[in-house]
Amino acid sequence: MAYDEFIVTSRSDGSQTSGRRFWYRMAESFFRRWPLYVLPLLLLIGVGVLQASRVTAQYRSVGVLNVASNPLLSDVSPLGSTGATGFETPSAATTRMINELLRTEVFVRSVAEHAGLKGALESNLVTIEQIRARVGASSTGTRLLAVSASWTDATTAAQLVISTIDQYTDHVLQVEIKNSSEAETFYTNLANGYSKALTDAQDALQKYVVANPTPKIGERPAEQTLAMQTMGGVITQAQTQLTNAENKIEEARLSTQQARSQTGDSLQLVDPPEVPTAPESVHRRQAMAVAVYLFLGVFIVVAMLFLSSLLDRAVRSADDVDVATGLAVVATVPSIAALSRRVEQRVTNRERRPAKA
């Protein structure tokens, strides 16, 4: 020990002050080697400032939808729900659906292509993740939700909002017309089969009549008449089946048109997105970037101080003796420079004296 000599006696109870001594040791460690701790903090702050300088201004466009009559919510949330436990409001449920669709690559790619970003996607100038991070929906009430998009170009921001709303509307429409479309396809295939059967039956009857003309004298034989009646029945049955299938096709098409009309009426665009005239302020984003790196730097410095204090077993004060040995320090003898030099000189002189014979 450079400055003090310690006279140590009996055991002490240092549990009450050990915590306070630990914080004193941390403070001492910081002030003894402060450049070591300040350097990483300054480096991280510098990185944060660099990141903040790279933040670009973005334009934000918003469109508001009224989704109170969304047909997809009939089995999910009762219309007019007040958000009671176990229920979702129409706005919250539709917001969740849109954000879930935005997590799928197919939906985001479709939004990007209809917003005019197909070429940018193909040339890798824009990624799906970038679009997904800048487009989203948020609930603004029980029946209203906002679809927003931020982009470095004002027109693209508005187009992204319009495209998202349009693609979600198409999604709702596809779900609604799924049954009618499948029915139309099914009955169309049946009608094609019935039409072929009708044509074949008519050709068979025509060939039979040509092969068995009406006799000039007398009546047609009974077996020919019976065969022709049977063929006529087949033609009538095929014609009836074809007519029924065509009626079903018309009903399916009518259901599709009704679904299209109802879907358009159920999702009402209250506030269409507009092309923003000015970008959003970047100061907040820049401040957040610097704050994140500042917090990281402070965390690293505190962790370094904590570890260095735990691993430091050097004895620099009377309290350190108590902590290291568990013995109470009852007195200290200060190191006086003048006295130390005098003692050292006496020892040297004594060593220089010749030994007595």
Side-chain angles (χ1 to χ4, degrees):
M1 294 181 296
Y3 299 102
D4 295 326
E5 293 183 1
F6 305 100
I7 300 175
V8 181
T9 59
S10 63
R11 290 280 178 181
S12 68
D13 185 10
S15 59
Q16 297 180 355
T17 59
S18 59
R20 185 170 55 185
R21 291 168 182 170
F22 178 76
W23 293 112
Y24 288 162
R25 185 180 290 268
M26 286 186 62
E28 180 189 7
S29 177
F30 175 80
F31 287 108
R32 275 193 298 108
R33 296 189 292 265
W34 64 268
L36 178 64
Y37 301 112
V38 172
L39 181 60
L41 179 61
L42 294 178
L43 288 176
L44 287 173
I45 292 176
V47 173
V49 172
L50 181 61
Q51 292 295 328
S53 65
R54 294 179 178 178
V55 175
T56 57
Q58 294 186 357
Y59 295 85
R60 186 170 184 269
S61 181
V62 180
V64 179
L65 277 175
N66 186 335
V67 295
S69 302
N70 189 345
L72 297 186
L73 303 182
S74 57
D75 297 330
V76 178
S77 170
L79 296 182
S81 172
T82 59
T85 303
F87 296 91
E88 286 183 306
T89 63
S91 173
T94 307
T95 297
R96 175 176 51 81
M97 292 179 186
I98 294 177
N99 289 330
E100 288 177 352
L101 287 172
L102 286 171
R103 288 198 288 268
T104 63
E105 183 174 350
V106 174
F107 185 81
V108 177
R109 187 173 295 276
S110 179
V111 168
E113 291 178 355
H114 286 82
L117 296 176
K118 182 178 180 180
L121 279 176
E122 293 176 349
S123 59
N124 294 325
L125 296 176
V126 176
T127 64
I128 295 294
E129 291 298 330
Q130 289 176 335
I131 299 174
R132 182 180 290 128
R134 300 181 184 182
V135 181
S138 59
S139 177
T140 59
T142 303
R143 295 174 173 83
L144 299 180
L145 66 84
V147 178
S148 61
S150 299
W151 205 257
T152 54
D153 177 66
T155 303
T156 304
Q159 288 297 324
L160 283 172
V161 176
I162 296 173
S163 179
T164 302
I165 294 174
D166 291 343
Q167 294 309 304
Y168 177 71
T169 303
D170 289 343
H171 169 73
V172 175
L173 178 61
Q174 292 301 321
V175 173
E176 286 298 296
I177 68 175
K178 179 180 180 181
N179 292 334
S180 58
S181 296
E182 291 177 351
E184 183 178 350
T185 302
F186 174 76
Y187 286 114
T188 298
N189 294 332
L190 284 181
N192 293 334
Y194 294 149
S195 178
K196 185 178 183 303
L198 177 61
T199 301
D200 293 342
Q202 291 174 342
D203 291 342
L205 179 60
Q206 184 66 27
K207 291 177 181 179
Y208 188 84
V209 171
V210 171
N212 301 280
T214 304
K216 296 180 180 179
I217 300 175
E219 297 180 353
R220 185 183 295 275
E223 62 273 11
Q224 293 183 7
T225 301
L226 180 61
M228 292 177 63
Q229 290 177 350
T230 302
M231 293 181 182
V234 173
I235 292 174
T236 301
Q237 181 181 5
Q239 183 64 57
T240 302
Q241 291 174 335
L242 178 60
T243 301
N244 291 335
E246 290 176 345
N247 291 335
K248 293 294 185 180
I249 291 173
E250 289 300 321
E251 291 177 2
R253 290 175 178 173
L254 180 60
S255 297
T256 300
Q257 293 299 326
Q258 290 177 344
R260 292 180 185 275
S261 177
Q262 292 175 357
T263 300
D265 294 337
S266 61
L267 301 176
Q268 300 175 359
L269 187 60
V270 178
D271 290 333
E274 298 180 353
V275 178
T277 58
E280 291 185 303
S281 176
V282 298
H283 298 308
R284 181 178 180 182
R285 296 170 57 197
Q286 290 175 337
M288 285 296 297
V290 175
V292 168
Y293 283 94
L294 176 61
F295 174 79
L296 181 61
V298 171
F299 177 79
I300 292 176
V301 169
V302 172
M304 291 173 60
L305 276 172
F306 187 81
L307 289 176
S308 64
S309 299
L310 284 179
L311 299 176
D312 189 4
R313 291 294 181 265
V315 177
R316 299 184 181 87
S317 66
D319 289 338
D320 293 338
V321 174
D322 190 355
V323 173
T325 65
L327 299 177
V329 177
V330 297
T332 61
V333 178
S335 177
I336 303 175
L339 181 60
S340 298
R341 287 194 298 269
R342 187 178 304 172
V343 172
E344 290 177 0
Q345 186 176 4
R346 288 181 179 179
V347 172
T348 303
N349 293 336
R350 184 178 299 175
E351 292 176 351
R352 290 178 179 179
R353 292 177 183 175
K356 295 182 180 180

